[in-house]
Amino acid sequence: MSFRSLLLGLFVVPVVVGVYFLTEAATADGTPQCDGIIEEYGDAERSGPMKPGETCDLYDFTDGRSAGTRTYEQQRKAREEEASAGYRTGGLWLAYGVAGLAVVTTHLGLKRRRG
C-alpha cells in the first residue's frame, strides 16, 4: 500500500461520515419522536411518534431516572435543532474530507507529472 493510497483512504473516511450525518438529517421527518415514555390513558405507556398535546417523559434508561419532560412543541423544536446540528456537522466533515482529497490528489498528481 502506497503512502498516497493511505492518505486517500484517510480522507475518504470523513467524506463517508459527512454523508452519513447529512443523510440522517435530511431523512428525519417532521413528526417528533419520544425516546422516553409517553404516558397515555391509564397505565398505558409507549415510545415513538408523538401527537399534539402529548408529553414525553425523557427517561434515562441507564440509571432509571427521569430527565424531565417535553411537550409536543418542545420535542418538535428539539428535533429541528438536532437536524440543524446534523447538517452543520455533516457539512463540516464532508468539506474537510473533500478538501483533503482535493489537496492530496492535486499535490500528488502534480508531483507525479514532474517526475
Side-chain angles (χ1 to χ4, degrees):
M1 177 186 269
S2 69
F3 182 67
R4 177 177 42 162
S5 299
L6 179 66
L7 279 177
L8 289 174
L10 287 175
F11 283 113
V12 166
V13 172
V15 169
V16 171
V17 170
V19 168
Y20 171 77
F21 276 111
L22 289 172
T23 303
E24 188 175 68
T27 58
D29 62 351
T31 306
Q33 298 284 325
C34 178
D35 297 330
I37 298 172
I38 301 171
E39 292 188 18
E40 293 186 336
Y41 306 107
D43 292 338
E45 297 176 342
R46 67 176 176 85
S47 295
M50 294 178 69
K51 299 173 198 152
E54 290 182 329
T55 301
C56 178
D57 185 13
L58 304 172
Y59 192 74
D60 186 359
F61 292 99
T62 57
D63 66 2
R65 292 191 228 169
S66 175
T69 60
R70 284 189 186 151
T71 64
Y72 176 85
E73 289 299 319
Q74 289 171 330
Q75 188 68 7
R76 186 177 60 77
K77 184 172 169 67
R79 289 291 180 174
E80 288 173 0
E81 289 173 2
E82 286 175 13
S84 176
Y87 281 122
R88 197 170 34 257
T89 303
L92 290 172
W93 277 99
L94 185 63
Y96 173 75
V98 168
L101 287 172
V103 167
V104 169
T105 55
T106 303
H107 177 69
L108 293 176
L110 291 175
K111 196 176 203 180
R112 197 180 223 193
R113 287 186 197 126
R114 281 188 260 157

